[in-house]
Amino acid sequence: MAEITIAQALNAGLGNCLDEWDEAIIMGEDVGRTGGVFRITDGLRERFGADRVIDTPVAESGIVGVGFGMAVAGMRPILEMQFMGFSYPAFDQVINHVARIRHRSRHRFTAPLVIRIPYGGGIGAAEHHSESAEAIYAHTPGLKVVVPSRPHDAKGLLLSAVEDPDPVIFLEPIRLYRSVKEEVSEESFRVPIGSAAVEREGSDVSLISYGAMMRECRLAAEQLEGEGVSVELIDLRTLVPLDSATIIESVEKTGRAVVVTESPRTAGFASEVAALISERALYSLQAPIKRVTGWDTVFPLKRGESLYLPSVRRVVSAIRGTLED
Amino acid sequence: MAEITIAQALNAGLGNCLDEWDEAIIMGEDVGRTGGVFRITDGLRERFGADRVIDTPVAESGIVGVGFGMAVAGMRPILEMQFMGFSYPAFDQVINHVARIRHRSRHRFTAPLVIRIPYGGGIGAAEHHSESAEAIYAHTPGLKVVVPSRPHDAKGLLLSAVEDPDPVIFLEPIRLYRSVKEEVSEESFRVPIGSAAVEREGSDVSLISYGAMMRECRLAAEQLEGEGVSVELIDLRTLVPLDSATIIESVEKTGRAVVVTESPRTAGFASEVAALISERALYSLQAPIKRVTGWDTVFPLKRGESLYLPSVRRVVSAIRGTLED
Amino acid sequence: MRQILTPSGDLSGEAPVDLEMTVRLYRAMVFARAYDRKSMSLQRQGRLATYAPFEGQEAAQVGAAASLEPDDWLVATYRDAAAMWMQGYPLELLFAGRTGHEAGGRPPDHVNVLPPSITVGGHMVHAVGLAWAERMRGSARIAMTMFGDGATSEGDFHEAMNFAGVFGVGVVFFCQNNGWAISLPRSEQTASETIAEKAIAYGMPGVQVDGNDVFAVYEAATAAVARARNGEGPTLIEAVTYRVGPHTTADDPGRYRNSDDSADWTKRDPLERVRIYLSEHDRWNEEWQSQVEERTVEQVEQAIALAESLYQPDPSHIFDSMFESPTEVLEEQKAELEALLEDDL
Amino acid sequence: MRQILTPSGDLSGEAPVDLEMTVRLYRAMVFARAYDRKSMSLQRQGRLATYAPFEGQEAAQVGAAASLEPDDWLVATYRDAAAMWMQGYPLELLFAGRTGHEAGGRPPDHVNVLPPSITVGGHMVHAVGLAWAERMRGSARIAMTMFGDGATSEGDFHEAMNFAGVFGVGVVFFCQNNGWAISLPRSEQTASETIAEKAIAYGMPGVQVDGNDVFAVYEAATAAVARARNGEGPTLIEAVTYRVGPHTTADDPGRYRNSDDSADWTKRDPLERVRIYLSEHDRWNEEWQSQVEERTVEQVEQAIALAESLYQPDPSHIFDSMFESPTEVLEEQKAELEALLEDDL
Ligand SMILES: Cc1ncc(C[n+]2csc(CCOP(=O)(O)OP(=O)(O)O)c2C)c(N)n1
Ligand SMILES: Cc1ncc(C[n+]2csc(CCOP(=O)(O)OP(=O)(O)O)c2C)c(N)n1
Ligand SMILES: [Mg+2]
Ligand SMILES: [Mg+2]
């Protein structure tokens, strides 16, 4: 097996999807001729034709609303939002329709679609290109929310998402698209939605994160190992449905928790994880739960990014903090 | 002073605003001729003219986007979304522009506007008419989020919101519009944004809520008093900026916390409050923080409402639970 | 504005249907009106939650729905009960939502009608996806979406029309211009002269018809459905009609319009002109009409009783339709609720 | 499509401006092109983040901006640097964002130009509010919004146009139809024949002009600005031009179009025809042009150096502009960051 990036794994996975399901189509801005701004759909239009890899007008609400209608009629649309900051015009369609049609119709009509959204900062992009608004999707009943952090999971979760009978918000960490490599099978395989991965076992503190921030967490865990601190690193992989058992088990073992996300702190997903722990594992806690997050500000441009994004240093000092507490 | 409802207090407060600021205008669907579906703007068009109380086409993104432009040019638009479920088409304008223009322009351009949104369930309405999505607004940097639960606060916070130099999301608890009465001065007065109210002092448990759920919390506190349980009841009144001092002080005193909201639980605002407490008052906690919330489902129609909305019973048993823990 | 049957019952053009069919259309309109009026009185009795009456719009809904094949898609609104019923949506399910529970959202499996759209605008886009998917799957099904004049102000109207135009999707955009968006008159919703002419902006044909003339509506709808089915693309139809009643039972039109307007419109009643036409052709008589009306009232009474009975107060009602199989969190929350309910006993 | 100055430099209609003004317009176009090309090379040197070139669109931007009063509002996009510069937005601030920091968002207090819109569509609505507010406050200021062909597919274009039409707001909707929305050709964006004709849907005049003919653009823009200022309402102008370069420096047009297209368009170059016209009137010579170009390059170099120097890496840069006065939470977070930075030392 070849070592490939997340971008390559997603591209391969999309190919598997279009091979596997005749009902699968890809639709979005510039996904066809150019293969998308991140080239994730590169070559698919040539391979599967313009009827299955569709370039749309610049209209996010239309993309999601039309994709919704297709899904209700039995298709499996894979929709792309060019950047998370451009997914906001589609919120009404996502919240009021995509997430609800199964409930509204008592299972008669469903929306088995996937909305792929590149998210997060770190590439020095313009405003609106570095958003991390996963909490909004996670707060919306009726959606599943998936966030891979490595090539194998990216492909396996994508196939699970397209196969899933319900709508899945599929968040892709822009910063990791080409920076993480690992061996990924060319076959079609699944990584189950709803299960977190204990990437590294440890006994002193539970370090919980997902997506792009896994990079900082991995480096922090390594560094601390050198200092004799044993970090248990959890990659949530799925935010909804959340694998709470894995989180609680870990915290009951370590007695300490640090949650890392790059989104703004207030009402972010790190708060949900902290609330869960304080509800279910309070008596195991030996120190306050620390949230290492982006600030409650607009995501800065290139030269301010390093001040905003949680760094390895921030993660490390948060962990040191909980150990001192 | 006469005893008036929240609806009357808001109507009076809007009158004060239009009297006090020439730049203040009201804009929204049906706010003029009919005085809004809840009659909150009743009589204002007659009093201030159709140029200041403007009936718009059915276009929420347009209402917010146009109001944004007016605000940048020096007006103080007071915008109405007919129901929270209809505010979603305006999210892009709110998140990408209203919340950010001050930051984007380094204070040169600002959006001192207010978006009034009736929210919450309990009136047996149709789908989309009972939403409680405050967490989404609270998670958006650059917005202030206010939620009154009584007539005096409703008027005082409204005047503060319109006076505020930054955008304010003003959430109005539909269920309490006409059910709570108290004396409210006809004068123009302010209730400061960012300060919670300890509505009732207690020593056994901190009961924290806001908006419509304050009704259940008040009844629960009374009932428990009869059983000899001393509840400290906190009405947050403002979600952003959050009065964390009042929360932490209270929990440090009582050692127990129950947070009540009617929104879905996952990544809801109750999670933020729980996370805050677990970060700052962990060592004072004698029991897990309990969240009493709506379920992670679509808000049901009339006959299912009582199954969804946190009831006095649910609040009471949650409190009993923490006391037993 | 295309008109075939004048308010006084005379033909100003060629009737698009024979007398047989005219009787059927008229019968449906009589049913629709009786259904609508009965619903209003049921609401006053407190047996229905807010109700959105469509009196005056019977010809528009009946004429449009009559142009569809039984398995075509219909994506309509809270005010389109008559059209949905004609396309196979059972009466009791139309009532269910209004009696305060969700069971009404699931039409029988062979009925391709989405639950009525409560949000204004968003549903038109869905019709584009439905029709497009049918084409992709080689089916001849098309989609019709019904919406009001007010809905054309929403951005989603624009995106739906634009997608349909660009991809040549077989959708019929059927606008019932009833003159009002709650309290906002048509003239203040948009500065375009007609709604039909908005079609130009999307490179599709747009036609304006007398929405109170079931012949004109049927003719235009049938032509648009044929275009859609033949792969010739979308059409916008503006049916000019009038909302004779309030926006909903919670609305008081007295606050924003004077009763003369509605009075004028009753002169253009969609049923009366067909009644005259039929009686002139000896196809109408008093007792037949009252029979249809009585029969309708009975059906409505049975339907609402059935609708009320459909509801089982049960946590599963809330939790079990969020996903194909409930998540762990939902199971936990359901158990939490069930425990609370048991304590209650 | 209105054209006054043909690609070969001949008048096919009456010049809307005298030679004096023509020289000024041409000078601005020469500046714009030199600025644009210099920016491209700066980007290749890594001194600018992604850059969106506008080569080929100089006449559209210059002709439109020239029609405004100095204090009118301009709400434009990431590709409209030339127009923003003409309306008073300082060069160094236009560069700031592209050198990777926020200082560029604050134009001088007398300049009524919003920071360039990065999202497509949303900004057009803002122009409606700005112009409306000016009218409410009794000012004569109007607003012009610039956007691309692709932006007309967004729902916000529809809502902006509709509000402006209904309320008769003094806005000039200036569309630079450069043929592409990144990789999507105009023909696949919408099925309408022209973008100008979309104005019909909003009851406002729509005009299509040769966007590479600065005379035609200036004439149409001046007329629209006059209408807006006289309270006669909004106008939609479609300036047909071409994006000769890539969408941005991150884009590779080779993936979706063949170079001939762009080649054709260079034949219709917006500068060349004016140069010919001016030299025929003895108002142009080689060294004058190279002087302007050299001067521009110097200005650009000074501007970018200044832009780079504007940035102070400092937490306040992130936290202090969220609200008029920072909230307690922001103060806490700022302190948290400052503590971390001190540890670093
Ligand atoms: C997105 C959205 N905004 C606002 C509303 C509230 N609302 C319900 S009906 C209506 C007016 C719709 O008018 P029109 O489209 O003409 O349909 P009609 O009611 O006349 O049949 C409004 C504003 C809504 N349901 N959805
Ligand atoms: C809401 C939104 N969706 C998508 C994008 C990504 N995007 C940036 S420019 C562009 C194409 C815009 O084309 P057009 O409006 O013709 O302007 P042009 O770039 O040709 O000047 C797209 C899709 C965006 N910036 N905003
Ligand atoms: Mg209407
Ligand atoms: Mg373009």
Side-chain angles (χ1 to χ4, degrees):
Chain A
M1 284 189 294
E3 288 217 329
I4 60 173
T5 63
I6 288 180
Q8 292 166 318
L10 289 170
N11 180 261
L14 287 167
N16 293 110
C17 290
L18 266 60
D19 272 330
E20 211 155 315
W21 294 285
D22 295 341
E23 319 83 59
I25 62 104
I26 292 172
M27 185 161 73
E29 295 158 8
D30 309 291
V31 295
R33 292 182 181 80
T34 60
V37 291
F38 291 107
R39 307 280 179 260
I40 305 302
T41 54
D42 199 10
L44 296 174
R45 181 173 170 126
E46 292 69 10
R47 204 167 128 204
F48 296 97
D51 292 350
R52 292 188 69 193
V53 183
I54 303 162
D55 279 325
T56 69
V58 187
E60 293 73 19
S61 187
I63 292 167
V64 173
V66 170
F68 168 88
M70 289 178 172
V72 168
M75 305 294 289
R76 291 180 185 272
I78 305 169
L79 311 172
E80 176 178 300
M81 300 279 103
Q82 208 156 61
F83 283 87
M84 187 174 251
F86 309 142
S87 72
Y88 303 153
F91 268 151
D92 177 57
Q93 286 294 336
V94 173
I95 297 175
N96 276 334
H97 302 294
V98 170
R100 297 185 177 187
I101 188 63
R102 179 187 288 278
H103 179 82
R104 185 178 299 152
S105 69
R106 324 309 288 167
H107 296 282
R108 163 73 198 280
F109 301 116
T110 60
L113 56 80
V114 174
I115 305 180
R116 293 181 40 244
I117 312 178
Y119 88 98
I123 59 164
E127 195 190 344
H128 315 287
H129 291 68
S130 307
E131 317 274 310
S132 187
E134 63 274 15
I136 299 179
Y137 291 104
H139 183 55
T140 302
L143 301 176
K144 295 182 179 177
V145 182
V146 167
V147 195
S149 76
R150 54 197 321 150
H152 175 84
D153 290 347
K155 180 174 174 178
L157 282 166
L158 178 68
L159 277 143
S160 298
V162 174
E163 186 171 45
D164 198 277
D166 287 295
V168 178
I169 304 297
F170 192 89
L171 303 179
E172 304 175 358
I174 294 173
R175 201 152 40 98
L176 302 187
Y177 265 144
R178 291 173 170 77
S179 62
V180 195
K181 279 193 164 203
E182 72 183 351
E183 289 196 337
V184 178
S185 154
E186 271 122 46
E187 306 302 302
S188 158
F189 64 91
R190 312 281 186 268
V191 169
I193 292 175
S195 89
V198 178
E199 232 186 60
R200 173 186 192 110
E201 302 215 338
S203 51
D204 296 332
V205 57
S206 303
L207 181 59
I208 303 160
S209 190
Y210 53 87
M213 274 299 132
M214 284 303 294
R215 182 177 160 281
E216 280 62 31
C217 292
R218 286 165 188 149
L219 295 170
E222 278 167 32
Q223 179 180 332
L224 285 161
E225 185 175 44
E227 302 172 17
V229 179
S230 163
V231 175
E232 178 144 299
L233 177 56
I234 297 177
D235 180 356
L236 291 179
R237 299 196 298 190
T238 297
L239 304 188
V240 180
L242 185 63
D243 183 351
S244 45
T246 300
I247 297 170
I248 299 305
E249 240 171 69
S250 175
V251 176
E252 281 169 346
K253 179 175 71 177
T254 63
R256 293 180 161 79
V258 172
V259 190
V260 184
T261 74
E262 67 181 276
S263 72
R265 181 172 301 170
T266 297
F269 201 76
S271 306
E272 176 57 32
V273 175
L276 179 80
I277 295 170
S278 66
E279 211 164 38
R280 308 233 179 136
L282 184 81
Y283 299 120
S284 316
L285 283 177
Q286 294 161 45
I289 304 160
K290 280 213 159 50
R291 289 174 290 171
V292 178
T293 67
W295 313 116
D296 289 340
T297 68
V298 173
F299 191 99
L301 298 180
K302 192 167 187 177
R303 294 167 69 176
E305 275 189 328
S306 61
L307 294 176
Y308 181 95
L309 281 172
S311 59
V312 176
R313 281 203 74 280
R314 265 177 77 192
V315 177
V316 167
S317 62
I319 292 175
R320 289 211 189 102
T322 49
L323 293 169
E324 286 153 15
D325 281 337
Chain B
M1 284 190 294
E3 289 218 330
I4 59 173
T5 63
I6 288 179
Q8 292 166 318
L10 289 169
N11 180 262
L14 287 167
N16 293 109
C17 290
L18 268 61
D19 272 330
E20 212 155 316
W21 294 284
D22 295 341
E23 319 84 61
I25 62 104
I26 292 172
M27 187 162 71
E29 294 157 9
D30 309 291
V31 294
R33 292 182 182 81
T34 61
V37 291
F38 290 109
R39 307 280 180 261
I40 305 302
T41 54
D42 198 10
L44 296 175
R45 181 172 168 126
E46 291 70 10
R47 203 168 127 205
F48 297 97
D51 292 349
R52 293 188 69 193
V53 183
I54 302 162
D55 279 324
T56 69
V58 186
E60 293 72 20
S61 186
I63 292 167
V64 173
V66 169
F68 168 87
M70 288 178 173
V72 168
M75 304 294 288
R76 292 179 185 273
I78 305 168
L79 311 172
E80 176 178 301
M81 300 277 103
Q82 207 156 64
F83 283 87
M84 187 174 252
F86 308 143
S87 72
Y88 303 153
F91 268 151
D92 177 57
Q93 287 294 335
V94 172
I95 297 175
N96 276 335
H97 301 294
V98 169
R100 296 184 177 189
I101 188 63
R102 179 187 288 276
H103 180 82
R104 185 178 299 152
S105 70
R106 323 313 285 170
H107 296 281
R108 162 73 198 281
F109 302 116
T110 61
L113 56 79
V114 175
I115 305 181
R116 294 180 39 245
I117 312 178
Y119 88 97
I123 60 164
E127 195 189 345
H128 314 288
H129 291 67
S130 307
E131 318 274 308
S132 188
E134 63 275 15
I136 299 179
Y137 291 104
H139 184 55
T140 303
L143 300 176
K144 294 181 180 178
V145 182
V146 168
V147 196
S149 78
R150 54 196 321 151
H152 175 83
D153 290 347
K155 180 175 173 179
L157 282 166
L158 178 68
L159 277 143
S160 297
V162 174
E163 187 171 47
D164 199 277
D166 287 295
V168 178
I169 304 297
F170 192 89
L171 304 178
E172 304 175 358
I174 293 173
R175 199 152 41 98
L176 302 187
Y177 265 144
R178 290 173 171 75
S179 62
V180 195
K181 279 194 163 202
E182 72 183 350
E183 288 197 340
V184 179
S185 154
E186 271 122 46
E187 305 303 303
S188 158
F189 64 91
R190 313 279 186 270
V191 169
I193 291 174
S195 89
V198 178
E199 233 187 57
R200 169 184 196 116
E201 303 215 336
S203 53
D204 296 332
V205 58
S206 302
L207 181 58
I208 302 159
S209 190
Y210 53 86
M213 275 299 134
M214 284 303 294
R215 183 178 159 281
E216 281 62 32
C217 292
R218 286 164 189 147
L219 294 171
E222 276 168 32
Q223 179 181 330
L224 285 161
E225 186 175 42
E227 303 173 16
V229 179
S230 163
V231 176
E232 177 143 301
L233 177 56
I234 296 176
D235 180 356
L236 291 178
R237 299 197 298 190
T238 297
L239 305 188
V240 181
L242 185 62
D243 182 353
S244 44
T246 299
I247 297 171
I248 298 306
E249 241 172 67
S250 175
V251 176
E252 281 170 347
K253 179 175 70 178
T254 63
R256 293 179 160 81
V258 172
V259 190
V260 184
T261 73
E262 67 180 276
S263 73
R265 180 172 303 172
T266 297
F269 200 76
S271 306
E272 176 57 30
V273 175
L276 179 80
I277 295 170
S278 67
E279 212 165 37
R280 310 235 179 134
L282 183 81
Y283 299 120
S284 315
L285 283 177
Q286 294 161 44
I289 304 161
K290 281 214 159 54
R291 288 174 291 171
V292 178
T293 67
W295 313 116
D296 288 341
T297 69
V298 173
F299 191 98
L301 299 179
K302 192 168 188 176
R303 293 166 70 176
E305 275 189 330
S306 62
L307 294 176
Y308 181 94
L309 281 172
S311 59
V312 176
R313 279 203 73 281
R314 266 177 76 192
V315 177
V316 166
S317 62
I319 292 176
R320 288 210 191 101
T322 49
L323 293 169
E324 287 152 14
D325 280 336
Chain C
M1 182 167 82
R2 172 76 168 161
Q3 185 184 65
I4 297 173
L5 190 63
T6 67
S8 44
D10 308 318
L11 285 176
S12 60
E14 200 195 320
V17 296
D18 61 19
L19 283 168
E20 225 38 70
M21 181 65 178
T22 309
V23 170
R24 268 198 261 120
L25 293 173
Y26 181 70
R27 198 184 189 299
M29 290 195 285
V30 172
F31 172 92
R33 178 156 299 177
Y35 163 94
D36 191 58
R37 290 187 173 172
K38 178 65 180 174
S39 300
M40 286 297 278
S41 68
L42 285 167
Q43 197 280 336
R44 278 187 225 93
Q45 296 159 33
R47 287 179 71 189
L48 295 183
T50 333
Y51 177 74
F54 55 78
E55 175 151 353
Q57 304 180 215
E58 295 89 351
Q61 292 191 33
V62 167
S67 71
L68 296 171
E69 290 299 319
D71 64 348
D72 282 334
W73 287 98
L74 178 63
V75 188
T77 82
Y78 49 85
R79 201 183 301 285
D80 301 320
M84 291 174 69
W85 166 75
M86 285 190 67
Q87 195 58 5
Y89 216 94
L91 276 191
E92 64 275 16
L93 298 189
L94 287 170
F95 278 124
R98 301 204 179 276
T99 63
H101 64 84
E102 284 82 2
R106 186 186 179 108
D109 289 355
H110 64 281
V111 175
N112 293 325
V113 180
L114 293 194
S117 177
I118 305 296
T119 65
V120 167
H123 68 296
M124 299 177 255
V125 195
H126 306 162
V128 178
L130 289 164
W132 193 348
E134 293 296 351
R135 186 176 75 193
M136 287 174 167
R137 321 184 86 209
S139 132
R141 275 187 213 132
I142 61 106
M144 175 182 285
T145 179
M146 291 189 167
F147 51 93
D149 43 319
T152 65
S153 301
E154 289 278 3
D156 274 357
F157 164 77
H158 178 69
E159 299 192 15
M161 296 281 288
N162 197 51
F163 266 77
V166 168
F167 297 102
V169 182
V171 181
V172 178
F173 291 91
F174 188 82
C175 178
Q176 289 172 74
N177 170 3
N178 64 7
W180 297 91
I182 304 187
S183 67
L184 195 71
R186 155 64 184 84
S187 59
E188 295 181 31
Q189 292 168 25
T190 178
S192 68
E193 265 178 39
T194 70
I195 283 171
E197 71 192 15
K198 292 179 184 288
I200 296 166
Y202 311 100
M204 71 174 80
V207 291
Q208 188 187 52
V209 301
D210 177 350
N212 285 14
D213 172 1
V214 73
F215 284 172
V217 172
Y218 181 81
E219 178 189 64
T222 308
V225 166
R227 285 194 75 235
R229 215 178 298 284
N230 301 338
E232 295 160 43
T235 306
L236 171 64
I237 298 172
E238 174 186 6
V240 180
T241 176
Y242 196 80
R243 198 195 76 211
V244 172
H247 170 67
T248 69
T249 45
D251 175 46
D252 167 16
R255 299 174 74 97
Y256 54 83
R257 73 183 188 190
N258 50 37
S259 41
D260 325 357
D261 317 357
S262 355
D264 288 0
W265 278 89
T266 50
K267 295 198 201 81
R268 301 184 235 168
D269 183 70
L271 274 69
E272 182 56 10
R273 67 183 74 180
V274 186
R275 193 193 60 73
I276 298 169
Y277 176 80
L278 284 176
S279 46
E280 278 167 359
H281 293 76
D282 305 321
R283 292 308 202 90
W284 181 87
N285 66 65
E286 200 77 50
E287 65 271 22
W288 172 78
Q289 170 128 5
S290 12
Q291 270 168 25
V292 176
E293 288 166 354
E294 281 153 27
R295 180 83 192 74
T296 304
V297 172
E298 285 160 24
Q299 275 177 276
V300 168
E301 270 159 354
Q302 288 158 11
I304 184 152
L306 184 50
E308 286 163 338
S309 74
L310 285 173
Y311 178 67
Q312 274 74 9
D314 176 346
S316 60
H317 175 74
I318 289 181
F319 291 98
D320 295 0
S321 51
M322 291 305 298
F323 297 102
E324 185 174 78
S325 39
T327 60
E328 189 190 312
V329 172
L330 286 170
E331 294 288 15
E332 288 165 5
Q333 295 185 356
K334 185 178 175 185
E336 200 179 321
L337 174 57
E338 279 162 344
L340 274 156
L341 294 172
E342 296 200 342
D343 288 8
D344 274 345
L345 310 178
Chain D
M1 183 169 80
R2 173 75 167 158
Q3 186 184 64
I4 297 173
L5 190 62
T6 68
S8 45
D10 309 318
L11 286 176
S12 61
E14 201 195 320
V17 295
D18 59 20
L19 284 168
E20 226 36 73
M21 180 65 178
T22 309
V23 170
R24 268 200 260 120
L25 292 173
Y26 182 69
R27 199 185 188 298
M29 290 195 285
V30 172
F31 172 91
R33 177 156 300 175
Y35 163 95
D36 191 59
R37 291 187 172 172
K38 178 66 180 173
S39 299
M40 286 297 278
S41 67
L42 286 168
Q43 197 281 336
R44 279 188 224 94
Q45 295 160 34
R47 288 180 70 189
L48 294 183
T50 334
Y51 177 75
F54 55 79
E55 175 150 353
Q57 302 179 216
E58 296 88 350
Q61 292 190 34
V62 167
S67 71
L68 296 171
E69 289 299 318
D71 63 348
D72 282 333
W73 287 99
L74 179 62
V75 187
T77 82
Y78 49 86
R79 200 183 302 284
D80 301 321
M84 292 174 69
W85 165 75
M86 284 189 69
Q87 195 58 7
Y89 215 95
L91 277 190
E92 63 273 18
L93 298 190
L94 286 171
F95 279 124
R98 303 207 178 274
T99 64
H101 63 85
E102 283 82 2
R106 186 185 181 108
D109 289 355
H110 65 279
V111 174
N112 293 324
V113 180
L114 293 194
S117 178
I118 306 296
T119 66
V120 167
H123 68 295
M124 298 178 257
V125 195
H126 306 161
V128 178
L130 289 164
W132 193 348
E134 293 296 351
R135 186 177 74 194
M136 286 174 167
R137 323 183 86 208
S139 130
R141 273 185 214 136
I142 61 107
M144 174 181 284
T145 179
M146 292 189 165
F147 51 93
D149 44 318
T152 65
S153 302
E154 288 280 2
D156 275 357
F157 164 77
H158 178 70
E159 299 193 14
M161 295 281 287
N162 197 51
F163 266 77
V166 168
F167 297 101
V169 182
V171 181
V172 178
F173 291 92
F174 188 82
C175 178
Q176 290 173 73
N177 171 2
N178 64 6
W180 298 90
I182 304 187
S183 67
L184 195 71
R186 155 64 185 81
S187 58
E188 295 181 32
Q189 293 167 26
T190 180
S192 68
E193 267 180 37
T194 69
I195 283 169
E197 71 193 14
K198 291 180 185 288
I200 296 165
Y202 310 100
M204 70 173 80
V207 292
Q208 189 186 50
V209 301
D210 177 349
N212 285 13
D213 172 1
V214 72
F215 284 171
V217 171
Y218 181 81
E219 178 189 63
T222 308
V225 166
R227 284 194 76 237
R229 215 178 297 285
N230 301 337
E232 294 159 43
T235 307
L236 171 63
I237 298 172
E238 174 185 8
V240 180
T241 177
Y242 196 79
R243 199 197 74 211
V244 172
H247 170 68
T248 67
T249 45
D251 174 47
D252 167 16
R255 300 174 74 95
Y256 53 85
R257 73 183 188 190
N258 50 35
S259 43
D260 324 358
D261 316 357
S262 355
D264 289 0
W265 278 89
T266 49
K267 296 199 200 81
R268 302 184 233 168
D269 183 69
L271 275 68
E272 182 57 9
R273 66 182 76 178
V274 186
R275 192 193 60 73
I276 298 170
Y277 175 80
L278 284 176
S279 46
E280 279 169 355
H281 292 76
D282 306 321
R283 293 306 203 91
W284 179 88
N285 67 66
E286 199 78 49
E287 66 272 21
W288 172 79
Q289 169 130 5
S290 14
Q291 270 168 23
V292 176
E293 287 166 354
E294 281 153 29
R295 180 84 194 76
T296 304
V297 172
E298 286 160 24
Q299 275 177 276
V300 169
E301 270 159 354
Q302 288 157 10
I304 184 154
L306 184 49
E308 288 164 335
S309 75
L310 283 173
Y311 179 67
Q312 274 73 9
D314 176 346
S316 60
H317 175 74
I318 290 181
F319 290 99
D320 295 0
S321 51
M322 291 305 298
F323 297 101
E324 184 174 80
S325 38
T327 60
E328 190 190 311
V329 173
L330 286 170
E331 293 290 14
E332 287 166 5
Q333 295 185 357
K334 185 178 174 185
E336 201 179 321
L337 174 57
E338 279 162 344
L340 274 154
L341 294 173
E342 297 203 342
D343 288 9
D344 276 344
L345 311 177

